Amino acid sequence: MKEQTYEEIIRKHPCFSKAATRWFGRVHLPVAPKCNISCHYCTRLYDCVNENRPGVTSKLMTPKEALQYVKQLVERDERIKVVGIAGPGEPLANRSTWYTLFMVHRCFPELIKCISTNGLLLAEKLPELQKAGVRAVTVTVNAVSKEVGSRIYGYVFYRGQIYTGAAGAELLWRAQYEGIRLARKLGMVVKVNSVLIPGVNDEHLEEVARAVKTAGAHVMNIIPLIPQGGFADLLPPPPERVNLMRQKLSPIIKQITHCRRCRADAVGMLV
């Protein structure tokens, strides 16, 4: 089968293109429970069917269950064009991610495969992602400064060792930069998600935008903080502040404006 072009992936992927939301749907497969970093804004301890935020799922799936689920969805809705893995943990830290992607790609090579990752393992896992048919990658980058990053991440677990504070934040950004750079070199479409955390990284996001653009990211998505976890006492940024930030950064890198902060088990159309 002919490989999808860069332009075709963007045209059909609703998370990368607002126009695509009118015609194409996606499914997130919740097969990856483990995570290798601790973010102060993250909690995956509960689920409500009316709750729409990253990291939430009503159940975990095995790779076989996920494949059967995709088969049923594709038969029922021909608009499903994208299969992604976005948690509820870190996809690249879970072997189940690879089993799922390989099986789905073997059965549905025409579907766009994508992952959402913190980027810590992205560079070293790119060969496997290529074999599994992954062509679109979203990397969450909240800081490129170790000082700012140390306020966002509790720890980074890498190759059997725990890194905290500035050391963990610096390690994470180095890995993210290299992962984005190499992914783009391989022809993948790269989106960066950045959580806007008032009083923590809001004055730093312009530096983040310039850095990820230099690394090769195609588009950036500013996500307003959902107060929870270690940041439960912070106030979420109002919509007008988020919009102003997007306007400020749009001359640097193209901005996503239609994000729905999808769950790890999201399915169907974005609109």
Side-chain angles (χ1 to χ4, degrees):
M1 179 180 175
K2 185 179 178 182
E3 193 174 70
Q4 296 129 328
T5 65
Y6 184 89
E7 292 75 16
E8 185 179 8
I9 293 170
I10 294 176
R11 182 175 64 84
K12 290 185 176 181
H13 201 313
C15 300
F16 283 74
S17 166
K18 187 175 183 178
T21 62
R22 297 178 58 195
W23 310 105
F24 306 112
R26 85 298 187 218
V27 55
H28 290 171
L29 303 175
V31 298
K34 296 187 296 183
C35 196
N36 50 11
I37 70 173
S38 171
C39 304
H40 292 319
Y41 56 76
C42 182
T43 177
R44 305 188 301 275
L45 298 179
Y46 59 93
D47 165 46
C48 169
V49 293
N50 297 316
E51 192 175 23
N52 206 46
R53 63 177 175 86
V56 169
T57 183
S58 294
K59 63 166 287 187
L60 286 171
M61 292 183 181
T62 67
K64 288 185 178 180
E65 288 173 336
L67 178 61
Q68 288 302 120
Y69 184 50
V70 173
K71 288 180 177 179
Q72 294 169 7
L73 287 173
V74 171
E75 288 178 4
R76 195 166 66 228
D77 190 347
E78 61 181 15
R79 297 174 300 177
I80 298 295
K81 300 297 181 184
V82 178
V83 175
I85 298 179
E90 164 54 35
L92 301 186
N94 291 264
R95 291 178 63 85
S96 52
T97 295
W98 309 111
Y99 297 139
T100 303
L101 288 172
F102 278 116
M103 288 193 297
V104 171
H105 187 52
R106 184 169 61 243
C107 293
F108 302 98
E110 74 282 1
L111 295 180
I112 297 170
K113 266 68 66 177
C114 72
I115 61 159
S116 181
T117 174
N118 60 40
L120 180 63
L121 301 176
L122 180 56
E124 55 197 78
K125 297 295 185 180
L126 280 171
E128 293 173 76
L129 290 175
Q130 266 200 313
K131 292 177 183 177
V134 172
R135 297 296 311 282
V137 177
T138 294
V139 185
T140 299
V141 181
N142 299 310
V144 299
S145 154
K146 59 185 179 182
E147 289 78 19
V148 177
S150 66
R151 300 176 63 190
I152 300 173
Y153 306 109
Y155 66 81
V156 174
F157 181 73
Y158 182 65
R159 295 187 176 179
Q161 187 170 342
I162 293 177
Y163 298 83
T164 60
E170 185 176 28
L171 170 65
L172 179 59
W173 166 236
R174 285 204 311 266
Q176 291 170 332
Y177 182 92
E178 188 66 1
I180 293 170
R181 186 185 71 81
L182 292 176
R184 283 294 293 116
K185 189 176 181 180
L186 291 174
M188 294 182 181
V189 184
V190 181
K191 172 165 67 73
V192 163
N193 283 352
S194 296
V195 180
L196 174 56
I197 310 169
V200 178
N201 72 345
D202 44 350
E203 300 298 324
H204 177 59
L205 286 182
E206 181 174 350
E207 187 177 349
V208 172
R210 295 187 187 280
V212 299
K213 177 66 174 180
T214 299
H218 168 77
V219 67
M220 185 181 193
N221 178 30
I222 304 295
I223 302 175
L225 173 75
I226 300 174
Q228 57 185 359
F231 288 150
D233 293 332
L234 295 183
L235 292 175
E240 55 270 22
R241 188 173 182 186
V242 177
N243 290 333
L244 283 173
M245 181 64 71
R246 289 169 176 161
Q247 292 172 18
K248 178 182 178 181
L249 302 185
S250 60
I252 301 171
I253 182 171
K254 183 179 178 182
Q255 295 290 310
I256 290 291
T257 60
H258 63 282
C259 177
R260 296 293 182 267
R261 299 192 294 197
C262 294
R263 295 161 53 106
D265 58 0
V267 62
M269 311 292 284
L270 257 68
V271 294

